[in-house]
Amino acid sequence: MPPSPDQILSSVFGYDSFRGHQEAIIQHLLNGGDALVLMPTGGGKSLCYQIPALIRPGVAVVVSPLIALMRDQVEALRQLGVRAAYLNSTLEWEAARRIENQLLREELDLIYVAPERLLTEGFLSLLARTRLALFAIDEAHCVSQWGHDFRPEYRQLTVLHERFPEVPRCALTATADEPTRREIVERLGLEQAKAFTSSFDRPNIRYQVVPKQNGRRQLLGFLKREHPTDAGIVYCLSRKRVEEIARFLSEQGFTALPYHAGLPADRRQEHQARFLQEDGVIMVATVAFGMGIDKPDVRFVAHLELPKSLEGYYQETGRAGRDGLPADAWMTYGLADVITLRQLLAASQAEERHRHVERIKLEAMLGYCESTSCRRQVLLGYFGERLPQPCGNCDVCLEPMPTWDGTEAARKALSCVYRTGQRFGVQHLTDVLLGRMTDRIQSFGHHKLSTFGIGTELDEGQWRSAFRQLVAAGLLTVDLERRGGLRLTSECRPLLRGETTIHFRRDSAPKKTRAQPSSLPSGFEDPDTQTLWESLRAQRLKLAREQGVPPYVIFHDATLRELVVNRPRSLAELGCLPGIGERKLEAYGRIFLEVLRAHKERWGRSS
Ligand code: ADP
Ligand code: ZN
């Protein structure tokens, strides 16, 4: 009798119940069906194929584009006592040969392979001589040419079905939008597969968008206030900006490392390894960084510049808080970001159809930034999911966004754009509205216009905010031929004719404190708990160093937290905590009980 999924869940993984669709997916694969699994980052996709891999006879082949991370994934499985290996271009010929032999001798439960390796004739014929439990196609959205993770080899994965029609296949992704999903089904020949769609909500992530004044200062304030010692990722658009921000944060005493495609491969590798293996490292990166980073304790993801689409934004912010503990998605956003992205779009060489898609995506991104209602509702709505109630865990919910009737101001702004000839930027337009006698105004004779000085009821910041919202709402567009001058669009007619009104959000000053203190693992209140937490982390780091693996491969933060809260006194008690299966209990149980005992002695507490 093979063990049941329940038994494996508790004895190998140390968890006592399945999440969401996990159990149904596992059953479906055990019965030989194909599955399409759509689950957000951190939802628990891996178990969906790992458990059937342990139950079905033969080896499960996991296709993954993330060569750099295969080692850690496999190491994490070995720590659980699972017979796993990987094959990719980083392995020496000898080592690869050894693994191929293990495969033929049926000594493996799971093998991770890069797609280009899998598709070689050599490997396919090896598979033909091996007993196969299933195929798992991870990061399945890589077949989509619209996404930024497009991998041409993924298109050829249909060969798996053609050659091994009887082996069940499971495609998994955290990218949810409808076009991508359709493309996965079509390109991978999964028409017969059963789709399992989970809610894409990540309730533990707090979304926050702040109007940009000085992005770097605002970032610094956010980090000092909320994440002084936490690991996180800061995303920037350009390499130059990445270098600059990493230097700035380092000067401010943070451990911040740059990551972008322009760095030599060995430095990128080194920085990624430090991010995974040390505590509290901040990665400052372009979007080149992050796919498949399954570091569970990333406490924040910050965007200093506007991402190109909500898909990208959701994927990037999704890297925060995989362990389910509170995490932040924080972004600064200003008019300059809109202009930069519109410029990139205009300069793009892509064909018109593609550009049209990009434009729509940018508009959705702007809509999210300017939203005056719950951000999570906007985000999930974009992915076709309806959240009936406001979430209570985004900036708009926590501090309702005050709005003001901007109809009059908008008319003045639009008329000022018109009368100055639709070729000037925000600074000049604001100067005209405020009636400032600058050199430029004099040389163009703009002090003679009827709009000169008609806007003194607002200050410079408020006019900036109004112009940004007019651009975001599509009433003004940025004239890219004329270095960012603003032009009217046909959208503004109803407003100018007095047929509609417009409401602006009142951009508030950056907040000093958060509305609710977060219960971050590092935020234990009393010194006793805090000391114990530190001792446990130190022990974990020591074990991780000895074996050359990331600390979370030993125990997740969530598991350490359970140790602090429950203070088990025996192996039996310890074994009941989540994340401690038989193998880890045996390998590390005594060591951690000893840390707990020593701590109790020092603090003389019995609880
Ligand atoms: P994904 O690949 O979907 O991003 P993972 O498979 O890495 O997510 O799982 C995210 C985290 O959740 C991991 O730490 C994993 O051990 C944990 N996890 C998965 N399933 C369960 C479960 N049923 N009970 C408790 N923790 C789980
Ligand atoms: Zn909300």
Side-chain angles (χ1 to χ4, degrees):
M1 266 295 271
S4 73
D6 271 326
Q7 282 165 343
I8 293 192
L9 181 70
S10 99
S11 67
V12 177
F13 294 92
Y15 298 134
D16 47 38
S17 58
F18 284 108
R19 282 190 192 153
H21 295 301
Q22 279 177 334
E23 194 169 14
I25 297 164
I26 292 169
Q27 263 323 324
H28 186 71
L29 289 169
L30 287 177
N31 295 338
D34 293 340
L36 172 61
V37 174
L38 303 149
M39 216 185 254
T41 312
K45 284 186 284 301
S46 343
L47 281 192
C48 298
Y49 58 82
Q50 287 168 351
I51 289 183
L54 293 176
I55 297 177
R56 282 179 71 92
V59 64
V61 180
V62 185
V63 188
S64 163
L66 311 166
I67 291 186
L69 296 158
M70 280 185 190
R71 208 188 129 238
D72 288 348
Q73 287 171 325
V74 164
E75 189 49 51
L77 283 168
R78 288 188 181 153
Q79 293 275 338
L80 299 171
V82 174
R83 303 177 305 167
Y86 64 90
L87 272 179
N88 63 34
S89 53
T90 65
L91 286 187
E92 300 286 333
W93 187 81
E94 281 289 333
R97 208 33 217 277
R98 224 177 13 252
I99 289 164
E100 290 177 0
N101 282 328
Q102 283 183 313
L103 201 61
L104 288 172
R105 290 199 304 265
E106 299 201 5
E107 289 171 2
L108 292 173
D109 297 311
L110 281 121
I111 183 151
Y112 285 73
V113 273
E116 53 278 6
R117 177 96 187 195
L118 176 85
L119 293 165
T120 59
E121 195 42 55
F123 192 77
L124 288 171
S125 69
L126 182 70
L127 287 187
R129 287 175 284 144
T130 309
R131 187 131 72 127
L132 298 171
L134 61 97
F135 291 112
I137 302 168
D138 207 1
E139 313 288 347
H141 61 278
C142 289
V143 294
S144 163
Q145 62 168 330
W146 304 117
H148 45 63
D149 299 327
F150 178 47
R151 299 281 301 246
E153 312 87 48
Y154 261 64
R155 296 265 166 109
Q156 296 161 43
L157 290 175
T158 41
V159 72
L160 296 179
H161 183 52
E162 287 152 21
R163 291 235 194 153
F164 311 99
E166 73 292 353
V167 180
R169 290 174 305 153
C170 173
L172 309 100
T173 180
T175 302
D177 62 310
E178 188 52 39
T180 309
R181 180 191 319 191
R182 271 202 306 271
E183 224 180 331
I184 294 174
V185 168
E186 184 185 326
R187 296 281 175 183
L188 294 178
L190 284 169
E191 288 81 4
Q192 305 302 320
K194 185 163 168 146
F196 296 88
T197 309
S198 309
S199 165
F200 269 70
D201 190 15
R202 301 285 312 279
N204 61 316
I205 297 183
R206 170 171 300 175
Y207 299 96
Q208 219 176 321
V209 181
V210 298
K212 192 180 282 181
Q213 281 125 12
N214 175 335
R216 199 155 110 147
R217 287 269 139 220
Q218 287 169 292
L219 174 68
L220 184 64
F222 166 71
L223 293 180
K224 284 192 166 162
R225 223 165 39 234
E226 322 226 344
H227 298 284
T229 60
D230 290 331
I233 307 174
V234 177
Y235 282 108
C236 307
L237 280 185
S238 71
R239 299 173 182 184
K240 189 165 146 260
R241 185 90 167 134
V242 164
E243 296 281 351
E244 178 193 314
I245 298 296
R247 208 175 313 117
F248 170 71
L249 290 179
S250 302
E251 283 161 13
Q252 298 292 328
F254 290 92
T255 311
L257 304 172
Y259 190 106
H260 57 71
L263 287 175
D266 54 339
R267 263 192 84 206
R268 282 207 307 266
Q269 188 57 41
E270 179 201 324
H271 290 180
Q272 175 164 313
R274 285 189 60 191
F275 179 67
L276 294 174
Q277 308 203 342
E278 291 174 23
D279 282 326
V281 173
I282 298 177
M283 195 66 119
V284 186
T286 57
V287 291
F289 176 74
M291 199 199 0
I293 289 292
D294 48 15
K295 183 177 166 62
D297 55 354
V298 174
R299 293 269 68 85
F300 66 88
V301 169
H303 281 91
L304 273 182
E305 278 123 17
L306 199 64
K308 283 183 213 163
S309 69
L310 279 177
E311 284 93 339
Y313 173 74
Y314 204 61
Q315 229 173 60
E316 284 144 28
T317 54
R319 288 165 192 147
R322 279 174 166 246
D323 52 13
L325 300 174
D328 275 300
W330 181 93
M331 172 159 75
T332 61
Y333 148 80
L335 180 61
D337 293 306
V338 186
I339 295 179
T340 311
L341 279 192
R342 292 247 158 101
Q343 267 162 347
L344 282 177
L345 209 90
S348 152
Q349 299 298 313
E351 55 181 291
E352 184 47 37
R353 192 164 75 98
H354 199 155
R355 284 209 338 233
H356 179 67
V357 173
E358 287 180 359
R359 207 168 302 125
I360 292 172
K361 292 188 169 188
L362 175 60
E363 297 310 328
M365 188 72 229
L366 295 179
Y368 170 77
C369 292
E370 300 290 357
S371 176
T372 48
S373 60
C374 173
R375 293 203 199 273
R376 198 179 308 269
Q377 286 180 323
V378 175
L379 266 179
L380 292 176
Y382 180 74
F383 296 112
E385 193 178 329
R386 212 178 75 84
L387 186 69
Q389 295 295 323
C391 75
N393 195 26
C394 72
D395 53 354
V396 184
C397 284
L398 290 167
E399 230 159 295
M401 191 66 60
T403 58
W404 54 289
D405 184 342
T407 311
E408 197 49 44
R411 285 211 195 104
K412 288 179 181 176
L414 296 174
S415 129
C416 187
V417 169
Y418 183 73
R419 294 196 189 279
T420 49
Q422 312 203 53
R423 46 203 274 255
F424 293 91
V426 172
Q427 185 61 54
H428 184 77
L429 293 166
T430 304
D431 287 341
V432 174
L433 286 162
L434 292 176
R436 288 172 172 159
M437 211 31 129
T438 65
D439 291 348
R440 275 186 109 196
I441 285 184
Q442 258 178 328
S443 65
F444 285 106
H446 287 168
H447 53 296
K448 295 181 201 139
L449 296 176
S450 61
T451 48
F452 184 73
I454 57 164
T456 48
E457 72 277 19
L458 300 183
D459 66 18
E460 180 161 344
Q462 288 164 324
W463 278 119
R464 257 185 186 281
S465 161
F467 277 114
R468 189 196 75 226
Q469 296 184 58
L470 286 169
V471 173
L475 273 64
L476 287 174
T477 94
V478 180
D479 188 340
L480 298 163
E481 253 90 85
R482 290 189 166 145
R483 291 185 288 134
L486 296 181
R487 269 192 296 118
L488 307 187
T489 71
S490 55
E491 303 280 315
C492 65
R493 279 198 207 119
L495 189 84
L496 289 175
R497 285 202 221 105
E499 291 162 11
T500 53
T501 59
I502 187 166
H503 278 263
F504 288 140
R505 41 185 296 168
R506 195 179 296 284
D507 297 337
S508 52
K511 293 166 216 116
K512 290 282 175 303
T513 51
R514 56 192 304 149
Q516 268 177 312
S518 75
S519 51
L520 297 182
S522 49
F524 284 118
E525 299 279 308
D526 62 305
D528 163 43
T529 342
Q530 184 63 34
T531 317
L532 176 57
W533 169 255
E534 296 299 341
S535 315
L536 291 169
R537 291 225 306 180
Q539 180 59 260
R540 178 178 68 171
L541 191 61
K542 182 160 168 280
L543 289 169
R545 288 258 158 84
E546 285 165 9
Q547 305 181 47
V549 298
Y552 64 80
V553 165
I554 309 286
F555 282 138
H556 281 186
D557 278 2
T559 302
L560 284 196
R561 215 183 141 73
E562 294 289 338
L563 288 183
V564 173
V565 174
N566 292 298
R567 312 216 177 177
R569 278 166 297 187
S570 65
L571 284 174
E573 283 178 22
L574 190 62
C576 293
L577 298 182
I580 308 187
E582 285 166 6
R583 177 62 185 262
K584 286 197 175 167
L585 188 64
E586 193 186 309
Y588 307 125
R590 284 179 204 290
I591 300 174
F592 281 90
L593 282 179
E594 178 51 31
V595 176
L596 286 159
R597 201 195 51 76
H599 176 82
K600 190 168 143 193
E601 207 149 81
R602 244 175 298 129
W603 288 77
R605 268 181 55 151
S606 54
S607 62

